[in-house]
């Protein structure tokens, strides 16, 4: 009899804990007392998912428009920005060095190339290997490039869009292949 009473007491205690837990969770997700609105949370999660899916696409027609202004999509600095502004805005780079006579600063999302004579930004490069981007997608979204040729110096296939005094360049290992790098630079 003591065992049955003990078991009933445990079951009752367990049920009380569950009831209070459910009430606590409901209270946390209600609009009252500064709690969370579960419907709003789900809606926000959905929007974040859409943004992440859009990011996976990487390019859109804004790239051409912004490129004419010396801006590369989501990068906060325009071509012509001073080295000092970049370093004060971004902090220490993951890697630094020299490339084709200029200084570079590599961060996790972009590499900035500085003209050593002017200390100004002359090119921005992005690694695009993680994205589903190839020549067909470029043409679909941005139209036909002004140049499509092998860059013998780099050993990569290059698609170049002329944007007045700037060039938007996409590089792949081979013609029609997956795009590995994207550049916005001053035209030579």
């Amino acid at each position: 009899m003591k065992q049955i009473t003990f078991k009933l007491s445990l079951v009752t205690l367990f049920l009380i804990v569950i009831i209070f837990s459910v009430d606590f969770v409901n209270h946390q997700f209600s609009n009252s007392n500064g709690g969370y609105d579960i419907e709003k949370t789900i809606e926000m999660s959905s929007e974040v998912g859409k943004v992440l899916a859009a990011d996976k696409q990487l390019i859109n027609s804004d790239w051409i428009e912004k490129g004419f202004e010396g801006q590369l999509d989501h990068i906060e600095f325009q071509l012509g920005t001073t080295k000092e502004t970049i370093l004060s805005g971004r902090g220490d780079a993951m890697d630094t060095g020299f490339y084709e006579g200029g200084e570079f600063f590599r961060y996790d999302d972009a590499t900035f190339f500085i003209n050593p004579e002017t200390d100004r930004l002359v090119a921005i490069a992005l690694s695009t290997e993680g994205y589903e981007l190839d020549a067909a997608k470029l043409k679909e979204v941005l139209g036909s490039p002004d140049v499509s040729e092998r860059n013998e110096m780099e050993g990569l296939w290059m698609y170049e869009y002329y944007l007045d005094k700037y060039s938007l360049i996409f590089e792949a290992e081979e013609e029609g292949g997956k795009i590995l790098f994207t550049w916005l630079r001053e035209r030579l």
Side-chain angles (χ1 to χ4, degrees):
M1 188 64 150
K2 287 184 179 181
Q3 277 186 330
I4 293 174
T5 307
F6 180 73
K7 287 180 183 179
L8 279 173
S9 297
L10 282 179
V11 169
T12 304
L13 182 61
F14 179 73
L15 289 173
I16 291 171
V17 168
I18 288 176
I19 290 168
F20 281 116
S21 298
V22 168
D23 186 50
F24 176 77
V25 169
N26 283 338
H27 180 71
Q28 289 298 319
F29 285 109
S30 71
N31 284 328
S32 62
N33 300 328
Y36 298 104
D37 181 352
I38 189 68
E39 288 179 19
K40 184 141 182 90
T41 303
I42 290 170
E43 181 181 316
M44 288 171 54
S45 295
S46 174
E47 288 302 313
V48 169
K50 288 178 188 173
V51 169
L52 292 176
D55 281 350
K56 196 67 174 164
Q57 180 182 342
L58 183 65
I59 63 167
N60 60 45
S61 59
D62 290 345
W63 281 52
I64 297 290
E65 218 173 284
K66 289 181 179 183
F68 275 107
E69 299 169 5
Q71 189 85 33
L72 186 57
D73 191 48
H74 66 283
I75 303 300
E76 71 273 28
F77 303 114
Q78 288 180 298
L79 295 181
T81 301
T82 65
K83 172 181 161 181
E84 181 181 314
T85 301
I86 294 167
L87 294 178
S88 66
R90 286 280 184 129
D92 293 334
M94 295 168 46
D95 189 22
T96 62
F98 291 89
Y99 179 78
E100 292 187 10
E103 192 174 9
F104 74 83
F105 297 89
R106 184 172 63 88
Y107 294 88
D108 61 342
D109 64 334
T111 303
F112 300 99
F113 296 85
I114 307 296
N115 179 322
E117 294 174 9
T118 63
D119 268 352
R120 294 201 173 273
L121 180 63
V122 293
I124 304 168
L126 306 175
S127 173
T128 55
E129 282 185 87
Y131 297 92
E132 299 300 321
L133 183 58
D134 59 16
K137 186 68 175 174
L138 281 180
K139 290 176 185 174
E140 175 187 324
V141 176
L142 303 179
S144 294
D146 295 296
V147 174
S148 177
E149 65 185 13
R150 184 143 187 87
N151 178 338
E152 295 301 331
M153 187 174 182
E154 298 293 331
L156 297 170
W157 194 268
M158 177 179 78
Y159 303 95
E160 184 171 3
Y161 294 83
Y162 295 151
L163 309 175
D164 291 337
K165 60 183 182 175
Y166 305 112
S167 285
L168 180 59
I169 301 167
F170 298 89
E171 295 177 321
E173 280 191 32
E174 57 192 19
E175 185 176 11
K178 186 175 183 178
I179 303 297
L180 304 175
F181 303 101
T182 302
W183 293 76
L184 180 66
R185 66 175 173 94
E186 292 182 348
R187 287 195 55 204
L188 304 175

